[in-house]
Amino acid sequence: MSAQNVGSRGGHQAFRLHIVTWNVSTAEPPADVRSLLQLDSQPATDLYVIGLQEVNANPVRYVSDLIVEDSWSHLLMDTLAPIGYIKVTSVRMQGLLMILFAKQVHLPFIRDIQSTYTRTGLFGYWGNKGGVSVRFSFYGHMLCFLNCHLAAHMNYALQRMDEFEYILDTQDFDMNNTPNILDHKVVFWFGDLNFRIADHGMHFLRSSINNGRFNLLWDKDQLTMMKKKEPVLQEFEEGPLRFKPTYKFDRFSETYDTRAPKTWFGFTGKKRKPAWTDRILWRIKPKAIETEDENSSTSSTSSADDDEYPVKVMQDMYTCDVSYGVSDHKPVIGTFNLEMRKKLESPLVTLTVDRHWSTDEDATFTYTILENFESSTWDWIGLYKIGFKSASDYSTFAWVKDDEVAANGEVVTVQIKNELPLLAGDYVLGYYSTNMQTLIAFSQTFQILESKRAVTEGQVPESINGHEK
């Protein structure tokens, strides 16, 4: 049962959000990520946000990934597309990658998408450390997701805080109401934050973990310790760490680092202590934040809007999946219910197909602009087979009215002049907004009939759904 079917409480609905953070240590993806995505969860997930660190980013590989999707994105799309999830957007900075997927029904209400990134590694000249973010409006509510990979090693806790605050200060968006990360109504911050467990020796750490007494380690977790004295961290919430520390494991095992100490140039390497390096936190914007400096007057958030359209965040699950072994980190999963009242109920455009289509006949449809938005003569309408992966995964397309932008309420008729698919299937039309960089409307599902030409050219498959043709 998706959020669309959840009974509303005073006009509020609950949307299920599934976040994964995983340092993949330059490894290729495993064969199957179904359990990582918990595809059988009920109610069904509405939004997936996948944050990866250390995706293979050697120069040759990185350039090829800019041309075609990387192997992780391919696997995630191949897994999620057949069950109705579409890749909305992604952002990549060297080894940092974040991908947003949504159920098709939500895409018309995911707007104002922007992404950015900040380098912190090697004085900001190389993107091996830093943060990537995606922000968007979800049914009118401003959400921001920040995937970070911060400085490593036990003694750099203060540097990690400096990097986090630097990322918050430098990332900005071309939005008047939410120019910075902390201006958003809800912020999710996750990644390989690299905070370690201080003071405790290896024997005590492993004994506590083996006995499931994780609580004995909490008070020495550096992030927990930092929260007591860093105001910005005190605004973020995190669920209890009731799962194994996620670093550092022998690959393809559930055993912590057993490497024999290595020697480099006379220095002896040490086994890495287990730590909760991989974390998921969230922050709901306080109802009133006052900012004051010499050059600006005091300003505060609109509490009226917060009172009328509040967002509740409830965490259902916070865990790691130890079954995955391609990396020396285990992936961390956080699932949430976002309870909110929709500010938006209607799409910006309607698309109408009156009947089924066939390659043997002319294919026409109509669209109508329902609400003013920054439309463009570069907008286009794609034909998508059910199970499509992203906005670019269309069978064919047509430009919108190309002599002028359509007026509100005007019914525009368009003919698909390119060839239609020859084989039968279920399809939708999707309106792609160039300015918004996303699909903002869909038609109802309709059928394309098998073409007579497909039969004569022998393109009809030998069997369909196991039945001989």
Side-chain angles (χ1 to χ4, degrees):
M1 180 168 56
S2 77
Q4 294 299 304
N5 300 316
V6 173
S8 61
R9 184 180 61 78
H12 289 69
Q13 285 184 286
F15 299 89
R16 186 174 178 85
L17 166 66
H18 186 111
I19 297 177
V20 174
T21 179
W22 193 3
N23 182 322
V24 298
S25 302
T26 72
E28 286 300 294
D32 192 327
V33 289
R34 295 178 60 84
S35 68
L36 185 69
L37 301 173
Q38 299 178 351
L39 299 184
D40 298 326
S41 66
Q42 292 294 331
T45 297
D46 294 287
L47 296 173
Y48 280 101
V49 180
I50 315 296
L52 305 178
Q53 306 86 40
E54 291 195 30
V55 175
N56 192 339
N58 68 61
V60 173
R61 185 60 176 272
Y62 185 61
V63 170
S64 70
D65 287 349
L66 294 177
I67 300 169
V68 295
E69 297 277 7
D70 64 277
S71 55
W72 287 91
S73 296
H74 269 300
L75 175 62
L76 291 164
M77 287 193 289
D78 289 345
T79 303
L80 289 169
I83 54 173
Y85 293 95
I86 291 101
K87 176 189 165 185
V88 181
T89 191
S90 64
V91 56
R92 174 90 185 262
M93 181 190 77
Q94 295 297 118
L96 273 168
L97 173 65
M98 180 160 51
I99 317 172
L100 167 66
F101 293 90
K103 277 283 192 187
Q104 180 187 319
V105 69
H106 300 311
L107 259 69
F109 306 99
I110 297 176
R111 303 178 187 173
D112 303 325
I113 302 168
Q114 289 191 3
S115 61
T116 188
Y117 59 85
T118 301
R119 295 185 177 96
T120 59
L122 289 179
F123 310 103
Y125 291 108
W126 184 249
N128 63 323
K129 295 289 193 298
V132 296
S133 60
V134 170
R135 62 88 62 202
F136 56 91
S137 163
F138 185 63
Y139 290 96
H141 297 275
M142 305 303 176
L143 309 181
C144 186
F145 295 83
L146 173 61
N147 171 25
C148 289
H149 191 186
L150 303 181
H153 304 303
M154 179 71 73
N155 298 327
Y156 287 94
L158 289 174
Q159 184 176 336
R160 289 187 269 280
M161 270 309 306
D162 288 343
E163 289 181 351
F164 176 51
E165 292 180 339
Y166 176 72
I167 291 167
L168 292 180
D169 288 342
T170 56
Q171 291 201 357
D172 51 33
F173 304 97
D174 185 21
M175 294 287 163
N176 290 331
N177 57 348
T178 51
N180 304 115
I181 290 175
L182 297 184
D183 295 324
H184 292 77
K185 186 168 282 188
V186 185
V187 176
F188 290 91
W189 171 41
F190 48 91
D192 180 359
L193 308 186
N194 252 322
F195 289 101
R196 307 306 170 100
I197 300 172
D199 297 338
H200 292 311
M202 184 73 82
H203 176 76
F204 182 80
L205 277 169
R206 294 196 171 185
S207 173
S208 300
I209 294 165
N210 291 338
N211 293 319
R213 302 186 69 184
F214 306 128
N215 59 303
L216 298 180
L217 309 177
W218 292 345
D219 64 342
K220 295 299 182 183
D221 169 71
Q222 289 179 334
L223 181 53
T224 304
M225 294 163 69
M226 283 285 183
K227 283 190 76 169
K228 295 175 182 176
K229 55 185 179 181
E230 296 287 347
V232 68
L233 290 183
Q234 291 165 13
E235 296 179 1
F236 282 84
E237 298 182 56
E238 183 181 19
L241 299 166
R242 295 196 178 114
F243 52 89
K244 282 186 171 185
T246 53
Y247 173 83
K248 174 181 173 74
F249 286 84
D250 291 341
R251 291 181 191 248
F252 300 103
S253 84
E254 296 180 25
T255 304
Y256 287 102
D257 191 7
T258 58
R259 301 170 304 166
K262 296 180 180 179
T263 301
W264 294 279
F265 305 108
F267 294 96
T268 302
K270 294 181 179 179
K271 290 184 176 68
R272 299 293 186 201
K273 290 182 180 180
W276 286 291
T277 55
D278 310 282
R279 313 286 277 268
I280 302 172
L281 298 90
W282 71 96
R283 172 191 183 268
I284 298 177
K285 185 180 180 183
K287 281 194 175 181
I289 298 178
E290 293 194 351
T291 58
E292 193 171 340
D293 59 41
E294 295 176 1
N295 301 315
S296 66
S297 59
T298 301
S299 62
S300 64
T301 61
S302 170
S303 58
D305 180 74
D306 291 336
D307 291 340
E308 188 177 359
Y309 294 100
V311 177
K312 282 188 177 180
V313 178
M314 290 157 287
Q315 188 171 53
D316 282 340
M317 178 186 295
Y318 191 30
T319 189
C320 72
D321 191 331
V322 295
S323 67
Y324 288 96
V326 297
S327 167
D328 54 3
H329 291 250
K330 300 299 183 184
V332 170
I333 301 164
T335 62
F336 301 85
N337 277 322
L338 305 182
E339 190 177 291
M340 62 178 68
R341 179 180 161 202
K342 294 178 183 177
K343 293 184 181 183
L344 306 173
E345 296 281 357
S346 302
L348 298 170
V349 179
T350 58
L351 291 159
T352 304
V353 179
D354 289 333
R355 59 189 180 87
H356 56 253
W357 286 1
S358 167
T359 301
D360 305 319
E361 303 171 2
D362 291 338
T364 60
F365 63 90
T366 62
Y367 73 89
T368 306
I369 306 293
L370 299 182
E371 186 180 325
N372 277 328
F373 69 97
E374 196 179 348
S375 55
S376 163
T377 54
W378 290 101
D379 292 354
W380 45 267
I381 295 166
L383 175 68
Y384 295 93
K385 188 171 185 179
I386 295 300
F388 70 98
K389 299 175 182 178
S390 66
S392 59
D393 189 21
Y394 51 79
S395 301
T396 186
F397 75 97
W399 296 108
V400 301
K401 187 176 181 181
D402 57 7
D403 54 344
E404 59 180 286
V405 174
N408 269 25
E410 178 185 357
V411 178
V412 181
T413 301
V414 179
Q415 182 174 352
I416 295 276
K417 297 179 181 178
N418 300 325
E419 282 195 350
L420 297 180
L422 297 177
L423 302 181
D426 291 328
Y427 288 81
V428 293
L429 294 173
Y431 186 112
Y432 185 84
S433 165
T434 304
N435 289 318
M436 294 191 190
Q437 297 286 296
T438 187
L439 289 161
I440 60 171
F442 292 98
S443 69
Q444 295 293 318
T445 303
F446 64 97
Q447 193 172 45
I448 292 184
L449 302 180
E450 187 178 281
S451 167
K452 296 172 186 174
R453 203 174 108 210
V455 178
T456 60
E457 293 181 3
Q459 293 191 35
V460 178
E462 294 286 326
S463 65
I464 298 176
N465 294 331
H467 300 288
E468 292 299 321
K469 180 96 172 152

